[in-house]
Amino acid sequence: MADVDMKPTEEKKTEETKEEEKPKKVPLTPAAEIKLNATLIERAVSTFEPRFTHRVLRTLTSLKKKLDAGALRNATEEIYPADSQTRQQLLALFPPASTDLSMEIDTPPSKPATVEPVPETEVYFRLLLIHHLLASPSTYGKAMEISKQTVEKIQILNRRTMDPLAAKVWYALERSYELGGELADARPMFLAAQRTASLRHDDETQASLINRLLRSYLQYNLYDQADKLVSKTTFPLSAGNPQFARYHYYLGRIKAVQLNYTAAHTNIQQAIRRAPPATTAPGFYQAIHKLSVVVELLMGDIPERGLFRHPVLEKALTGYFEIVKAVRSGSLSQFQTTLSAHQAQFEADKTHTLIVRLRQNVIKTGIRRLSLSYSRISLRDICVKLHLDSEEDAEYIVGKAIRDGVIEGRIIHEKGWMECGGQKGGYGPEVIDVFNRRISYCLELHNQSVKAMRYPLNAHRKELAAADSAREREKELAKELAEGGGDFDSDEPGLGEGF
Amino acid sequence: MSTDLGQLYQELIRSFTARPTDLKKCGLLLNQLKIGLIGAGLLVPQPDANPVDLATAREILEIGAFWSIRSKDIPSFDRYFSQLQTFYNDFSSVLPPSPREFPIRGLYLIRLLTQNRIADFHITLESLPLPADSLTSNPFISHPINLERWLMEGSYSKVWNAREEAPAEEYKYFVDEIMGTIRNEIASCEETAYESLPLKDAGTLLFFKTQSELVQFAQKRGWQVDLTGGAIRFAKKGEDKAEIPRQKLIAANLQYARELEQIV
């Protein structure tokens, strides 16, 4: 019981120190921040609390930007004891620092480290180094080499406390291979590591690796293989939100290519909901919305106009906005010109083939508009209004639209016109389906948001401890009652007799 | 590669390019060659194989794919195609590009269309190693792409007209199958879109040349043919009986109750 009680107080202490550190954090130099993170990792390893490691990794994005070789060198020299072998190895890896930075190293006189830090710290340093090397194209090769070494090291060490870091290292490895243009070569490595990770129940790494693999498949348009991977693996439920967002995005892409637009739409919604806010990750936010707009159009819906006025999206989505306008008005010629005008952008976004499929939706919208505005229209006029090639085509197309339930009506072949029937009553068995769909959407939304919440791992222990102490108190109370109320008991039989 | 395998290969090329092609002999040769390829470890290529041998193996499989279509053995074509995919996708950097690659890929796309496997069609299309703008300039690929687009739109007459524009001889083998698919599509459209149709027009709409073909087709679909009036009547589908799907409703309501209970 004692050590359960200890934990919460200890946690509180760290929270306090964190609070103290916060105001100082703003002017913190990168080197100091790295050092702070190293101590956090140390603590994570000694207490088996992945929380601290996660806290370290959260700062990675911002730290990455202000990182330089001098800071890395400085931090290493202070954290590792002078005679450490790892120190030598790490220092050898770092690119030479410029002179003004080495000046800075001399200034802060701190006590020299004597204890060899945990291997997690080394991996963290390597991770930082890889990110630093990825900042400039000339060092991609070196980044690739180091990331490969690091991964091998992680696999040899095989420590569970390393898992969150390992997941990040795999990301860095993929990034370096992708930037180096050799992503396909890394695939066997990912596949092997994914198997190992799933055997070791290393959820974090597994989630990261599944995403790595999906990305590499989709990069090379191997939708078939990506689909098979998805069907053969289960994405770990405990994975972090960023990984989930990516996973859903890739799933959305696969499903959209397979023409399964409804499923794609659900996945994309999930990804949008789980994605970080638009300002922190604008790239992902834009990419996912591009896909979302196209899929919504393919489903026959028109995206909300407000979306295109979003400050982050406005510029990125201009081409898509034009397409939406063309589809909405049902004008084939406008659609074609927009498509060719923005072709380069769509190809870069890999949405071109999806947008080309919209052609039939444009025609359908056009026919629906005609059927709403006319009670009878000749095939010749349809042909002219929709810019179709021949009357014959128009007849087939209208016939198909009637069969697919896009419009209500009949074709009178002898007279060469289409008669549009009244609109559906709007009440029928399909109402149940629509209602059902909406309700299940809401319920799904609720369930997913509950699942997306994150709790500290050992928070329930606190409650347990509280419950335990409450039970203890109850016991004491009962004991006191039993002791104090002894004479009550003796009275009772007498009472019973009287009644 | 052993010499007798080489001899067989030469013989295959000779008999395949001869007109008219002796399909039976090609089939026999192909069987022998495939056994030979397995013996040489080339049917499922290994990364360290000799590129020249690989190119030969690829050619044998390509001839096999064409042969399967000419002898109308579609499952066999599928097998050849899946074997060829390794050569096309994974060895593209080692091997020189094959002139037959895109005809075969295009044929596979058409084959997917005839089976109405539109999802697979799009997946295959996405995985083509071509930039999007050259998709339309490659005749072997643009043909199936156009066919798919017209089929989806409903411009069936364009599909009909395109049957003569096939970029390779083998494409025509699939025309009949596609026409069958289209006729069924058109027929199902007509059933809902028309009340009645003159026989002559129905014939042209369905691309039938003679009336007897049309009557046969109409009987198969259960249409009422009025020969004296010269018209086809489509049985009007009665208004769907509005039946309340009890079980579905109960299941849905129970589901809501369960979910709501979880929330509260």
Side-chain angles (χ1 to χ4, degrees):
Chain A
M1 201 45 58
D3 70 322
V4 176
D5 280 335
M6 288 274 286
K7 272 257 159 72
T9 47
E10 208 177 64
E11 264 173 30
K12 240 177 251 161
K13 219 184 284 166
T14 57
E15 232 97 271
E16 275 160 29
T17 46
K18 201 186 147 209
E19 235 100 280
E20 280 169 50
E21 280 155 14
K22 260 212 174 129
K24 269 192 279 171
K25 212 156 203 172
V26 188
L28 216 54
T29 60
E33 206 174 330
I34 296 172
K35 269 180 273 172
L36 179 72
N37 284 340
T39 52
L40 277 176
I41 290 178
E42 199 83 31
R43 195 183 293 159
V45 175
S46 57
T47 56
F48 291 107
E49 270 281 9
R51 230 152 48 84
F52 296 118
T53 321
H54 283 295
R55 194 188 297 166
V56 171
L57 292 174
R58 260 201 301 274
T59 60
L60 190 65
T61 339
S62 57
L63 189 59
K64 194 158 82 176
K65 281 179 195 137
K66 44 190 181 177
L67 203 61
D68 54 49
L72 273 172
R73 191 174 282 274
N74 182 0
T76 321
E77 277 170 356
E78 290 204 14
I79 283 168
Y80 283 94
D83 53 346
S84 156
Q85 216 177 356
T86 330
R87 175 184 165 146
Q88 304 300 327
Q89 283 172 4
L90 277 175
L91 286 177
L93 288 175
F94 297 149
S98 47
T99 42
D100 59 322
L101 283 162
S102 50
M103 287 278 287
E104 202 185 307
I105 296 168
D106 299 332
T107 40
S110 58
K111 56 175 173 59
T114 46
V115 197
E116 174 86 16
V118 285
E120 278 80 358
T121 317
E122 190 199 342
V123 171
Y124 179 61
F125 271 106
R126 280 167 172 270
L127 179 65
L128 287 176
L129 174 66
I130 298 165
H131 276 296
H132 174 61
L133 290 175
L134 285 177
S136 68
S138 57
T139 44
Y140 287 164
K142 199 171 171 203
M144 221 142 82
E145 204 180 297
I146 295 175
S147 49
K148 215 170 148 186
Q149 271 178 21
T150 314
V151 164
E152 277 159 16
K153 235 180 184 49
I154 292 172
Q155 278 169 342
I156 292 166
L157 285 166
N158 187 16
R159 289 164 67 111
R160 291 287 70 79
T161 39
M162 192 92 88
D163 290 347
L165 279 167
K168 287 279 170 191
V169 172
W170 278 110
Y171 167 75
L173 175 85
E174 185 221 27
R175 194 80 192 122
S176 56
Y177 270 80
E178 192 181 336
L179 289 172
E182 292 174 40
L183 191 53
D185 300 340
R187 214 178 292 145
M189 215 163 22
F190 290 146
L191 281 167
Q194 198 270 326
R195 278 197 297 274
T196 325
S198 87
L199 285 177
R200 287 180 185 161
H201 292 286
D202 177 359
D203 287 349
E204 212 109 7
T205 315
Q206 206 190 339
S208 172
L209 280 168
I210 290 179
N211 279 335
R212 302 286 79 83
L213 278 166
L214 284 178
R215 186 183 172 83
S216 106
Y217 283 138
L218 294 192
Q219 185 83 3
Y220 292 92
N221 288 329
L222 299 169
Y223 289 91
D224 216 11
Q225 267 127 305
D227 185 40
K228 281 192 188 117
L229 177 77
V230 169
S231 64
K232 294 279 187 294
T233 51
T234 39
F235 196 75
L237 279 175
S238 61
N241 266 339
Q243 297 296 353
F244 250 116
R246 285 196 189 101
Y247 183 65
H248 279 297
Y249 171 66
Y250 295 136
L251 276 191
R253 282 205 82 96
I254 297 170
K255 299 256 168 73
V257 168
Q258 290 174 330
L259 285 91
N260 192 351
Y261 302 128
T262 331
H265 189 249
T266 343
N267 280 321
I268 292 168
Q269 288 299 317
Q270 280 297 325
I272 291 177
R273 231 174 279 135
R274 283 175 184 264
T279 39
T280 28
F284 185 78
Y285 199 71
Q286 285 167 356
I288 189 98
H289 272 100
K290 283 172 186 169
L291 191 63
S292 153
V293 167
V294 177
V295 169
E296 262 184 56
L297 284 176
L298 281 168
M299 282 172 50
D301 295 344
I302 302 292
E304 270 178 51
R305 203 188 173 96
L307 188 69
F308 299 98
R309 281 201 292 262
H310 192 283
V312 179
L313 300 174
E314 196 177 10
K315 226 170 167 180
L317 290 186
T318 32
Y320 294 85
F321 185 45
E322 299 286 312
I323 288 284
V324 172
K325 279 199 278 191
V327 174
R328 226 179 89 86
S329 61
S331 148
L332 258 189
S333 54
Q334 195 188 336
F335 176 74
Q336 284 300 351
T337 45
T338 322
L339 186 59
S340 47
H342 297 277
Q343 186 168 2
Q345 193 203 340
F346 296 149
E347 265 170 44
D349 297 341
K350 291 203 170 190
T351 47
H352 187 256
T353 43
L354 290 177
I355 292 175
V356 171
R357 289 189 209 166
L358 278 172
R359 215 181 116 88
Q360 35 167 323
N361 288 47
V362 180
I363 295 177
K364 275 187 194 163
T365 325
I367 292 183
R368 187 151 57 202
R369 281 164 66 93
L370 288 179
S371 84
L372 289 177
S373 21
Y374 297 86
S375 64
R376 181 188 293 168
I377 181 168
S378 74
L379 292 172
R380 167 105 229 113
D381 287 341
I382 294 179
C383 189
V384 172
K385 282 192 195 302
L386 296 183
H387 306 281
L388 300 176
D389 293 339
S390 68
E391 241 174 282
E392 216 184 349
D393 274 341
E395 185 165 353
Y396 285 122
I397 291 172
V398 172
K400 194 173 152 68
I402 294 174
R403 188 201 56 176
D404 294 347
V406 179
I407 51 169
E408 291 272 298
R410 327 217 122 260
I411 302 172
I412 312 294
H413 185 82
E414 295 85 337
K415 303 195 172 127
W417 67 49
M418 168 179 94
E419 266 183 13
C420 311
Q423 288 305 297
K424 276 182 190 160
Y427 250 93
E430 69 269 11
V431 180
I432 304 168
D433 290 333
V434 175
F435 179 70
N436 194 10
R437 220 167 28 235
R438 287 191 189 160
I439 293 289
S440 45
Y441 171 78
C442 293
L443 291 173
E444 168 87 5
L445 176 66
H446 174 266
N447 288 343
Q448 292 290 351
S449 352
V450 171
K451 275 186 203 163
M453 287 192 224
R454 286 279 174 265
Y455 304 98
L457 264 182
N458 288 324
H460 65 283
R461 285 203 192 164
K462 223 189 266 184
E463 275 170 44
L464 275 184
D468 272 332
S469 60
R471 224 171 291 144
E472 207 97 309
R473 243 179 287 132
E474 226 167 82
K475 244 187 244 164
E476 262 166 45
L477 210 68
K479 218 160 112 197
E480 268 168 40
L481 270 177
E483 279 167 6
D487 32 84
F488 265 118
D489 280 10
S490 56
D491 275 358
E492 218 150 351
L495 261 171
E497 241 170 291
F499 281 92
Chain B
M1 194 178 276
S2 59
T3 44
D4 49 330
L5 209 58
Q7 267 171 11
L8 279 172
Y9 166 63
Q10 293 302 335
E11 204 175 328
L12 175 71
I13 289 191
R14 251 201 317 282
S15 51
F16 186 73
T17 46
R19 298 267 175 249
T21 318
D22 186 354
L23 287 177
K24 218 168 169 184
K25 194 181 164 201
C26 284
L28 286 174
L29 283 172
L30 277 168
N31 279 341
Q32 288 172 4
L33 274 167
K34 271 195 282 184
I35 296 170
L37 285 179
I38 294 170
L42 287 168
L43 196 66
V44 182
Q46 301 301 317
D48 50 353
N50 179 3
V52 182
D53 287 353
L54 281 177
T56 318
R58 185 179 65 182
E59 207 179 339
I60 292 170
L61 290 175
E62 281 169 344
I63 290 178
F66 283 125
W67 169 81
S68 326
I69 289 176
R70 288 196 194 172
S71 47
K72 305 209 165 122
D73 185 356
I74 303 302
S76 152
F77 172 73
D78 284 349
R79 281 195 298 276
Y80 278 113
F81 183 75
S82 52
Q83 280 164 351
L84 277 169
Q85 269 199 316
T86 326
F87 287 92
Y88 290 150
N89 294 335
D90 304 328
F91 288 85
S92 55
S93 52
V94 189
L95 295 173
S98 155
R100 294 198 184 95
E101 176 175 348
F102 286 104
I104 287 185
R105 281 181 186 273
L107 278 172
Y108 185 69
L109 286 174
I110 292 196
R111 138 126 190 91
L112 291 175
L113 276 187
T114 55
Q115 285 194 318
N116 231 350
R117 281 159 64 186
I118 306 293
D120 287 334
F121 176 88
H122 281 289
I123 294 174
T124 318
L125 198 61
E126 292 278 349
S127 59
L128 284 181
L130 284 174
D133 55 331
S134 67
L135 280 180
T136 40
S137 57
N138 189 322
F140 300 107
I141 303 299
S142 67
H143 186 67
I145 289 182
N146 284 333
L147 284 184
E148 192 264 351
R149 186 177 300 165
W150 292 329
L151 279 175
M152 286 295 115
E153 272 173 26
S155 318
Y156 299 117
S157 62
K158 282 191 188 142
V159 183
W160 175 250
N161 295 332
R163 75 193 186 286
E164 290 306 323
E165 297 161 12
E169 190 64 21
E170 279 76 11
Y171 280 59
K172 289 185 183 154
Y173 289 90
F174 283 115
V175 163
D176 292 338
E177 277 197 52
I178 287 205
M179 284 337 285
T181 321
I182 294 181
R183 277 201 188 110
N184 281 323
E185 279 279 301
I186 299 175
S188 74
C189 291
E190 283 178 352
E191 278 164 14
T192 36
Y194 300 88
E195 272 160 13
S196 73
L197 204 60
L199 267 182
K200 203 165 103 313
D201 295 329
T204 36
L205 281 175
L206 286 165
F207 310 111
F208 281 120
K209 288 197 182 73
T210 63
Q211 195 169 321
S212 57
E213 277 178 318
L214 173 68
V215 173
Q216 234 174 12
F217 184 77
Q219 270 162 357
K220 212 161 58 187
R221 291 202 71 99
W223 295 343
Q224 298 168 10
V225 185
D226 180 7
L227 280 172
T228 46
I232 296 178
R233 299 205 165 276
F234 301 105
K236 207 168 174 346
K237 274 190 216 132
E239 291 298 305
D240 295 330
K241 274 183 284 170
E243 206 181 305
I244 298 171
R246 293 177 222 101
Q247 251 180 342
K248 217 166 102 188
L249 272 176
I250 294 171
N253 280 326
L254 286 176
Q255 167 87 2
Y256 301 155
R258 200 168 45 240
E259 295 276 351
L260 278 176
E261 198 153 42
Q262 276 179 13
I263 295 173
V264 183

